Amino acid sequence: MANSYTTVWTNDLCRELQRDGYAGERLSLLFGGPHQSLPSFRSAGVQPGDRIHPIRLFRRKLYVLGALEVARLMPYEDTGSLLDDDDYAKVMRWRPLKAGCVSEVVFGPPGAPLSFGTAIPGDLLERLTYTSRRGERALRHVVDGELLHAIGVHGIYRLAPESARALDRLVRAADDFTVAA
């Protein structure tokens, strides 16, 4: 069974993507690395078929920005020699996501369009649960439907199945709204 994960994007990155017109574009790759500022998808256990949800904490609201289904994960150093021209063009197009020390690239078919306005409702935020080998954990630092600290989401974390379905519903609803608009 496929898993779903979240990965945090900084507010600076989100502002840059918004300014440069990435809102509404379908996410097709992500970069990972060895440091906390750009964590490793491979180390988090991400596999082909899994889904990744970029998230952002802004003004105590947690936003789900989109989704990408993983088709393949490869070392960044191999992108120049192993990719066809279309995939290499994606690497160049999504260059703003490449921050710091990059060691891997996650590719997928075009996913949900980037949306910077899909806040996770407070009641869902209070139920949002992550899972690991040690068990499940609820998101901490949630008070009155607001997230006070990003410490519990900073990194790449696997969502519990019900939380993954809930984020997928939010992303699909945002996509349906984008298509209808």
Side-chain angles (χ1 to χ4, degrees), residues 33 35 50 55 61 67 74 76 83 86 101 125:
H35 302 296
D50 290 344
I55 57 175
K61 299 284 184 198
M74 71 180 339
Y76 177 71
L83 293 179
D86 289 340
C101 297
L125 193 60

Side-chain angles (χ1 to χ4, degrees), residues 35-162:
H35 302 296
Q36 186 175 359
S37 61
L38 191 64
S40 169
F41 292 98
R42 188 176 309 279
S43 294
V46 172
Q47 299 289 321
D50 290 344
R51 183 175 298 264
I52 301 169
H53 296 278
I55 57 175
R56 167 193 195 188
L57 177 62
F58 183 66
R59 296 187 177 160
R60 296 186 174 185
K61 299 284 184 198
L62 193 63
Y63 292 82
V64 61
L65 307 174
L68 174 71
E69 185 175 323
V70 177
R72 65 182 161 162
L73 182 78
M74 71 180 339
Y76 177 71
E77 63 198 29
D78 294 344
T79 57
S81 61
L82 297 180
L83 293 179
D84 60 35
D85 290 342
D86 289 340
D87 282 339
Y88 192 75
K90 290 177 190 176
V91 170
M92 299 311 295
R93 174 65 184 139
W94 289 98
R95 189 171 49 241
L97 299 180
K98 182 184 158 199
C101 297
V102 173
S103 62
E104 61 195 29
V105 184
V106 174
F107 289 93
L114 281 182
S115 172
F116 297 95
T118 307
I120 297 173
D123 63 324
L124 174 55
L125 193 60
E126 291 173 354
R127 295 187 325 268
L128 197 66
T129 306
Y130 289 93
T131 188
S132 70
R133 285 179 232 146
R134 290 186 241 161
E136 291 192 356
R137 69 170 173 89
L139 192 56
R140 295 183 352 194
H141 308 292
V142 176
V143 176
D144 296 329
E146 294 184 332
L147 184 59
L148 303 182
H149 304 286
I151 194 151
V153 294
H154 199 331
I156 300 170
Y157 295 107
R158 185 168 41 127
L159 289 159
E162 181 52 40

